[in-house]
Amino acid sequence: MTVPFSPILGGVDVIGHGLSYHKLMGIEKTLSSVMGLTQITAAASVLNLGVSIAGFAYMGYKLHQIQENLCHIQQSMEEGFNRVEAGLNRIENNLIAGFNHIDNRLNSVDEGLDIISGQLAYLYLLVEDSRQKQKSLAKAISHLHQAMLIKEIAALKAELYDRSLFPDESPRSAIKTASRVGLFLSNQAMQATPELDAEIMLNADVSIQGWAVALATEANLLLEIGKHQEAKELLALQIPQFKQLAQRWAKALINDENTYLSTAYRFTNSRFKNHITSERVERITEISPSDRTLSPDQIRGKKNYVDVEFEMSYSSAKFDQTWTHRQIAVAEYLDGLSELSARLEGLESFANLCESRGVKSSREILPGADTEPGIYILPST
């Protein structure tokens, strides 16, 4: 499965005091890891002594024996506790020495971060007097971030190319690369805050589409070597995360200050008929939390409210051509997310098919490499 994407990226504006904050957060996480000591609790059991009616004399004799045994036990326990105490003292001394070493290492890390922070702080001083220079610096940081994403995508593309040249070789290296790239890009995608902003949307788009490609690649390679359960577990974990991300974007971009227009069904109005198809609207509603569960009557009501709103006297001035073009862009963006979600769900169904058929490799039920491109229906049994 091929998912096209454009490696275009905007910037991350991280200047000044943010550096110190992230430095402190890193130290805090290191300390949390070092200080994660396990508490050990001890429990004592009570042994009940049962006696029969055999006379106080006999009981006195037995109690005397018990008393002597208890004395021996007490003496042994005291000796044991002395040994334990000595051992604990040694452990305490070792812990103190260890934490002193850790403290020294943390101080070294802190000093290193101070150096880095100091090296980068000059950038803020150089641009604080000029908004234009700040924008230029943000663009430079954007290029660094872009290079990181392009590097990961290029690594995955290289593995896929190598796989196409040597299809019979072990896919372990390609699986490892796809997993690493997927984890990195999914993290980048989830960090983006959904917003109707061209730069933010482009940043997220690269990460989201790259994540989908990496996930599909890893799952397909696992299916290819018969690891059906592993592929199903991978998809079952990440597809819900992907769908939640798509729904977050849909909720943010569909939301409008006009409550009557806060619906994907606003795209059904006649002003969009030459740009947005009804099929595209239906796909968008699949990821729109406020639209996907509506009944037919509720959908008709939504559409009526939208049409009435666009017929109001102020609509021509408020909903001008610029606003219309933005809505067309939103529809295209959300349709892409919906399609990616559907493709990943289709891959999950294919993984279930491979497992149910008990094939050793997904190649057994897929068309051959020399098959003409087209749509093929795979038998379920």
Side-chain angles (χ1 to χ4, degrees):
M1 178 176 62
T2 303
V3 182
F5 56 88
S6 302
I8 306 171
L9 201 52
V12 180
D13 190 2
V14 182
I15 309 173
H17 299 295
L19 295 169
S20 300
Y21 172 78
H22 288 294
K23 178 188 70 175
L24 294 175
M25 288 299 293
I27 294 297
E28 180 183 358
K29 292 180 179 177
T30 305
L31 284 173
S32 298
S33 175
V34 170
M35 297 301 290
L37 302 176
T38 304
Q39 294 182 345
I40 303 175
T41 59
S45 60
V46 180
L47 178 62
N48 293 324
L49 177 64
V51 296
S52 61
I53 302 176
F56 288 106
Y58 178 73
M59 285 302 301
Y61 168 72
K62 295 296 293 181
L63 290 174
H64 178 69
Q65 285 185 323
I66 292 172
Q67 184 178 8
E68 289 182 346
N69 290 333
L70 288 175
C71 289
H72 292 307
I73 292 172
Q74 181 181 5
Q75 183 178 357
S76 299
M77 289 180 67
E78 288 176 352
E79 294 174 354
F81 280 128
N82 289 335
R83 291 194 298 271
V84 170
E85 184 178 5
L88 290 174
N89 288 333
R90 288 194 299 272
I91 293 173
E92 182 181 8
N93 293 333
N94 291 335
L95 284 173
I96 292 173
F99 281 122
N100 287 336
H101 176 69
I102 291 170
D103 187 54
N104 292 333
R105 293 295 300 275
L106 289 175
N107 287 335
S108 299
V109 172
D110 193 29
E111 291 173 1
L113 291 172
D114 283 335
I115 293 173
I116 295 173
S117 178
Q119 290 174 342
L120 296 179
Y122 75 90
L123 295 174
Y124 177 74
L125 297 176
L126 291 175
V127 302
E128 65 177 350
D129 63 334
S130 171
R131 179 60 180 168
Q132 184 60 39
K133 290 180 180 179
Q134 291 176 16
K135 290 181 179 179
S136 298
L137 178 58
K139 185 178 292 186
I141 295 174
S142 168
H143 291 160
L144 291 175
H145 191 198
Q146 178 182 0
M148 293 171 59
L149 291 180
I150 297 303
K151 177 183 177 182
E152 296 298 326
I153 294 173
L156 179 59
K157 185 176 180 180
E159 286 288 352
L160 293 176
Y161 179 68
D162 180 78
R163 186 68 181 161
S164 67
L165 295 177
F166 307 101
D168 297 326
E169 296 292 328
S170 171
R172 289 183 59 183
S173 176
I175 291 174
K176 182 178 180 181
T177 300
S179 178
R180 174 176 59 80
V181 172
L183 289 173
F184 175 77
L185 294 179
S186 64
N187 176 267
Q188 294 297 305
M190 291 179 180
Q191 285 185 10
T193 301
E195 184 179 343
L196 186 57
D197 179 90
E199 183 177 352
I200 294 175
M201 292 170 69
L202 283 173
N203 293 348
D205 197 30
V206 173
S207 298
I208 292 172
Q209 294 196 42
W211 175 19
V213 172
L215 175 57
T217 299
E218 184 179 359
N220 273 310
L221 290 174
L222 289 171
L223 294 173
E224 192 175 294
I225 60 176
K227 299 289 186 181
H228 308 319
Q229 186 60 36
E230 288 78 359
K232 288 178 58 179
E233 291 175 357
L234 173 69
L235 294 170
L237 174 64
Q238 296 200 32
I239 287 179
Q241 296 175 350
F242 190 94
K243 293 174 68 176
Q244 288 177 2
L245 180 63
Q247 290 173 12
R248 281 175 51 204
W249 274 98
K251 181 179 179 180
L253 298 185
I254 291 175
N255 186 49
D256 192 272
E257 60 182 8
N258 187 322
T259 57
Y260 295 123
L261 299 182
S262 292
T263 173
Y265 290 106
R266 68 172 178 249
F267 302 130
T268 61
N269 186 261
S270 59
R271 66 171 56 214
F272 299 115
K273 65 180 181 180
N274 295 328
H275 308 283
I276 303 175
T277 64
S278 58
E279 291 79 10
R280 170 166 285 185
V281 176
E282 290 303 315
R283 287 193 295 267
I284 295 173
T285 59
E286 289 297 318
I287 62 171
S288 173
S290 61
D291 294 312
R292 58 181 309 190
T293 59
L294 295 178
S295 67
D297 288 339
Q298 290 173 321
I299 293 173
R300 282 192 293 271
K302 290 278 187 180
K303 292 180 178 179
N304 289 335
Y305 282 128
V306 167
D307 292 339
V308 169
E309 191 63 26
F310 283 133
E311 291 173 1
M312 300 298 289
S313 58
Y314 53 76
S315 65
S316 58
K318 186 174 183 180
F319 308 117
D320 55 10
Q321 188 177 36
T322 300
W323 183 90
T324 301
H325 287 171
R326 287 181 179 177
Q327 298 309 304
I328 295 171
V330 167
E332 182 175 346
Y333 192 84
L334 294 181
D335 187 26
L337 292 179
S338 180
E339 183 180 358
L340 286 176
S341 296
R343 288 191 180 191
L344 291 175
E345 288 180 335
L347 181 56
E348 189 172 29
S349 298
F350 179 65
N352 291 329
L353 176 63
C354 290
E355 185 179 51
S356 65
R357 295 278 294 273
V359 296
K360 294 182 179 180
S361 171
S362 58
R363 292 183 180 182
E364 297 179 18
I365 55 178
L366 284 175
D370 56 347
T371 305
E372 291 293 329
I375 298 176
Y376 296 88
I377 298 177
L378 302 177
S380 58
T381 56

